[in-house]
């Protein structure tokens, strides 16, 4: 049986990931008119599950999920446009 803090920790991780999403969206909106700014996106990933002690293989059922975590914040830009701009500035 999972301890009672597992659900609280799962909820905390979900709130932290969503807070980062909202914060990044606000950052994108506030910098929309800034020249040279490129949008950012939060990359999330699942955390490794906890395995029950009585199961020895990772591919069997019985894993306890731990939620998500922030992997990175990635800057999105148009590589074709960046290449054209770099080519024009060299000439």
């Amino acid at each position: 049986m999972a301890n009672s803090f597992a659900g609280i920790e799962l909820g905390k991780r979900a709130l932290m990931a969503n807070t980062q999403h909202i914060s990044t969206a606000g950052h994108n909106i506030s910098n929309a008119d800034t020249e040279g700014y490129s949008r950012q996106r939060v990359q999330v990933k699942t955390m490794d599950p906890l395995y029950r002690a009585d199961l020895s293989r990772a591919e069997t059922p019985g894993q306890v999920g731990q939620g998500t975590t922030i992997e990175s914040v990635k800057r999105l830009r148009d590589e074709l446009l960046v290449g054209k701009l770099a080519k024009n500035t060299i000439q």
Side-chain angles (χ1 to χ4, degrees):
M1 182 171 128
N3 86 31
S4 55
F5 290 107
I8 295 171
E9 183 66 23
L10 186 68
K12 181 189 89 166
R13 289 183 179 143
L15 286 172
M16 289 173 61
N18 283 308
T19 300
Q20 184 65 43
H21 277 282
I22 292 169
S23 178
T24 303
H27 184 69
N28 288 335
I29 292 167
S30 66
N31 287 299
D33 291 333
T34 304
E35 186 176 336
Y37 179 78
S38 58
R39 190 166 61 98
Q40 297 176 350
R41 179 185 297 162
V42 176
Q43 302 288 327
V44 294
K45 68 173 192 160
T46 58
M47 293 190 71
D48 294 331
L50 296 174
Y51 300 105
R52 285 185 25 198
D54 58 343
L55 299 173
S56 60
R57 293 189 335 240
E59 57 272 352
T60 59
Q63 301 171 353
V64 179
Q66 295 194 83
T68 62
T69 185
I70 304 291
E71 184 175 27
S72 65
V73 178
K74 183 178 179 183
R75 185 167 304 280
L76 302 174
R77 27 180 212 177
D78 187 352
E79 296 298 327
L80 181 62
L81 183 60
V82 170
K84 285 183 179 182
L85 288 172
K87 186 177 178 181
N88 288 339
T89 57
I90 293 172
Q91 294 176 355

